[in-house]
Amino acid sequence: MSIRKILNDKRKIDKIVKATFDMVDKDSSGLIELTEFEIVMNKISLDMGMRLPSLTDIKTIFNTLDADRSGLISYKEFKLLIVSILEAFA
């Protein structure tokens, strides 16, 4: 299935986002904390053979995603990230 088809299928997007969100939300709180986000950012960097991002870089990205400034990333905020990533690859 192409990324474009996935983007046009709301159920498929929700399934992908939910699975990814649950992998990042290690404590199953329904929200992503900075420490959980830091772990995933470091893992992605290592998996891609890139240098680890600085804590400042991680906080900058985290704060950009945290649209409501709650100090946490909600499912809704996370979904915007995943959809943006998929759109970039479409």
Side-chain angles (χ1 to χ4, degrees):
M1 179 175 272
S2 73
I3 293 176
R4 184 60 48 205
K5 284 184 180 181
I6 292 169
L7 286 166
N8 290 326
D9 185 337
K10 184 179 177 341
R11 287 184 303 223
K12 184 72 76 181
I13 287 289
D14 287 339
K15 187 176 182 179
I16 291 168
V17 173
K18 175 79 171 119
T20 308
F21 186 88
D22 289 347
M23 283 191 294
V24 177
D25 181 23
K26 296 290 187 191
D27 65 1
S28 300
S29 67
L31 297 165
I32 297 173
E33 301 163 16
L34 179 60
T35 54
E36 293 169 322
F37 190 70
E38 181 180 7
I39 291 167
V40 77
M41 290 296 294
N42 286 333
K43 181 172 179 1
I44 289 168
S45 296
L46 288 172
D47 288 350
M48 295 181 71
M50 300 170 57
R51 71 167 179 80
L52 293 179
S54 69
L55 185 55
T56 300
D57 291 339
I58 292 169
K59 285 181 179 179
T60 299
I61 297 166
F62 186 89
N63 290 334
T64 300
L65 296 172
D66 181 20
D68 66 2
R69 301 292 179 241
S70 65
L72 302 163
I73 297 174
S74 68
Y75 178 85
K76 182 179 175 183
E77 292 165 332
F78 188 77
K79 183 176 181 177
L80 293 173
L81 169 66
I82 298 301
V83 169
S84 295
I85 291 168
L86 289 173
E87 286 174 342
F89 286 103

